[in-house]
Amino acid sequence: MSSTTRRMIGVYRQYWRINVLTTLEYRENFLMWFGFTFVYHGSAIAALWVVLSRFPSMNGWDFRDMAFLYALWMMGHALHNTFFAAIGDVPEHIQDGEFDRILVRPLNELFQTITMPGQIFPDELILAASFFVFATWYSGVHVGLLFIVMVPLIVIGGALIDLAISLVIATTAFWFIRVDALRWIVLQLEQEFTRYPISIYSRGVKLMLAFVFPFAFMNYFPAAFFLHKTDTGLALPAAVGLLTPLIGVVVATLAYIFWRFGLNRYQGVGH
Amino acid sequence: MIATRPYRFRLEPYIEFAKKAIARESTYRFEVFTSIGSFVVRVYLLRMVWTALYARNAAPEGLPLHAIITYSTVALLMGLVLDIDQTRLLHDHLHDGTIATDFMKPINVPLYFFSDGTGEVLFHAALIFPAILLSLFLVHIDVPSAFVLVMFLISFILGYFVGFFINFILNCIAFWTLEISAAQLILTWVTDLFGGELFPLVFFPLAVQNIIFALPFAAMFSTPLLIYVGQIRPERYAEVIGVQVAWVVVLAGASWVMWRFGARRVVVQGG
């Protein structure tokens, strides 16, 4: 093991220690934010349940299918939020000059960004895993060897897709400084459009969700594969649902290359 | 009329507060783009969702596809105004301590927050017009008779006051806790779901409906919207608007109590 790797592991361990200690220190605040996470996902699922109890089928998907669809997205998204959420703060760090400090320290900039201590706790991930177990049982999806092997990889792939998107947005802040609007719109696109099977959208939106912001690989394609839905919305073979880990690695790598590119051109904002 | 005594009530300062709030809001250009952008995205989304749901299921009684699309579009337009926290300034002033100097000024402090919030809301209300124009590219909005439209507007204004006092009460909690961001976000999701902004409350199962219609959130979005799409017939106008007025009175009373006790706390702490 190289000394850099050993140092990174040490930093990472410290990072989680500080996170846990902060959470324990501000317990009320943590509970309040946990309440928020719970209500956020709870209200989304409740809304799906109410609407689908009135209209039992959405392009052939019933509430059980949609619960699984949501759970799969929730897992990838929560995994991203737990380990990479700090990337969203990059524009802020650039604005207040904090990012310039990262540049002069002798450690990978992205690694430093990710390990900015905050008040991170894997509560959303635990919530997501619980709901995922429930939704898997409830949807009656067949849990075979393929499912057990592929689902963790798909979830990691989903988190990498999320990571790639937030890294690209963070990188644009090197040029445009304030990217709140962009970040917000993409986030909304993800949260609201991944809830439904993409087959309900027009062709342009489908293509965008599959290939520009590949959120469809986080949940729609894999869910369609495991639930044996014939219509994948873009007439692609069902097995594309298993490509999520590959797509995740590819887009995260591309995003990292873009990040390095932006980093090399970054001039600072004049602090 | 010119005031001669120093503490006599004058309206002019409050109009100026409102104007100042309008000027302040108009400097946040990005926020204008995000709210319009996200509005357009959501209009597109709801059209796709409702179209897909109505395609394969029987339409609920009295709510054909065009009515539900009208409902959701008008709900989003109302959301441009109602989803704003008009009393955020109260929370901000409690947070940074400037509330103490507010009390020293020869003004009615709650009214000051009210006029500031009104200015903010008026600015955002102006966004309704471009939003309507943009949404007409995506959806068809039914327009009811002039009488229904007038009743809708009355009910909308009452709904605005219900929302104002709910926000005011929540922000008053900051007198005790100082930090309420998570609680505010929770309230946003709860209002979305139980206020009827996402879908008509008549979609809830009957047993749940009885509870939800008894909550103040229904008086914000649901009542004006159901008047607009004709689900509430003219013979029930007196009843539903009476309920809204009752909520305004009750919540205004509760706000007054919260304010009295909260303001006393500031004095006890010595400002």
Side-chain angles (χ1 to χ4, degrees), chain A residues 20-187:
Chain A
V20 172
L21 287 176
T22 315
T23 307
L24 289 176
E25 185 64 33
Y26 298 99
R27 230 165 293 165
E28 290 88 2
N29 201 38
F30 165 74
L31 284 176
M32 220 158 50
W33 281 107
F34 179 70
F36 158 70
T37 309
F38 190 86
V39 172
Y40 171 71
H41 291 293
S43 71
I45 295 162
L48 282 178
W49 177 72
V50 172
V51 171
L52 284 150
S53 61
R54 276 289 155 137
F55 304 86
S57 161
M58 186 182 224
N59 277 17
W61 293 60
D62 62 12
F63 176 66
R64 290 158 184 262
D65 302 331
M66 305 268 279
F68 184 73
L69 185 72
Y70 191 89
L72 205 52
W73 171 76
M74 195 177 166
M75 281 294 282
H77 189 64
L79 190 68
H80 165 266
N81 284 354
T82 307
F83 293 101
F84 310 122
I87 293 176
D89 299 332
V90 167
E92 217 175 287
H93 295 323
I94 291 176
Q95 279 166 50
D96 61 20
E98 177 75 11
F99 197 79
D100 300 5
R101 282 175 61 191
I102 288 180
L103 288 175
V104 296
R105 291 189 197 130
L107 203 57
N108 180 289
E109 297 83 2
L110 183 60
F111 180 76
Q112 285 189 64
T113 307
I114 291 170
T115 52
M116 285 275 210
Q119 203 182 326
I120 296 162
F121 201 75
D123 54 323
E124 192 181 11
L125 195 56
I126 294 166
L127 199 66
S130 319
F131 184 66
F132 185 80
V133 170
F134 167 77
T136 302
W137 164 80
Y138 184 64
S139 65
V141 60
H142 174 67
V143 183
L145 186 64
L146 189 66
F147 186 92
I148 291 166
V149 173
M150 282 311 289
V151 162
L153 293 174
I154 286 166
V155 168
I156 292 170
L160 288 175
I161 291 170
D162 251 0
L163 167 72
I165 303 281
S166 43
L167 196 55
V168 167
I169 294 170
T171 305
T172 57
F174 288 134
W175 289 278
F176 300 107
I177 319 295
R178 290 204 56 164
V179 292
D180 312 10
L182 178 68
R183 188 170 159 219
W184 208 79
I185 286 184
V186 173
L187 204 70

Side-chain angles (χ1 to χ4, degrees), chain A residues 36 51 56-57 60 181 188 202 205, chain B residues 30 34 38 42 44 56-57 189:
Chain A
F36 158 70
V51 171
S57 161
Q188 194 184 20
S202 56
V205 174
Chain B
F30 266 115
T34 36
S38 117
R42 292 174 86 171
Y44 169 82
R56 300 238 187 142
N57 305 283
W189 305 120

Side-chain angles (χ1 to χ4, degrees), chain B residues 21-23 25-28 32 118-128:
Chain B
I22 294 178
E25 287 303 307
S26 58
T27 58
Y28 295 114
V32 173
T118 306
E120 191 175 342
V121 161
L122 285 177
F123 174 75
H124 286 267
L127 298 183
I128 287 183

Side-chain angles (χ1 to χ4, degrees), chain B residues 83-104:
Chain B
D83 284 344
I84 308 167
D85 177 11
Q86 321 89 332
T87 54
R88 196 187 50 205
L89 195 68
L90 168 58
H91 168 247
D92 292 349
H93 282 201
L94 283 169
H95 214 95
D96 61 21
T98 42
I99 187 89
T101 50
D102 292 336
F103 278 115
M104 290 177 204

Side-chain angles (χ1 to χ4, degrees), chain B residues 26 30 42 56 69 77-78 95 97 135 139 141 143 146 152 162 169 173 175 193 196 203 224 248 271:
Chain B
S26 58
F30 266 115
R42 292 174 86 171
R56 300 238 187 142
I69 287 180
L77 287 167
M78 289 170 66
H95 214 95
S135 60
V139 289
I141 309 174
V143 181
F152 161 76
V162 172
I169 290 169
I173 295 174
F175 273 118
L193 189 60
F203 285 0
V248 172

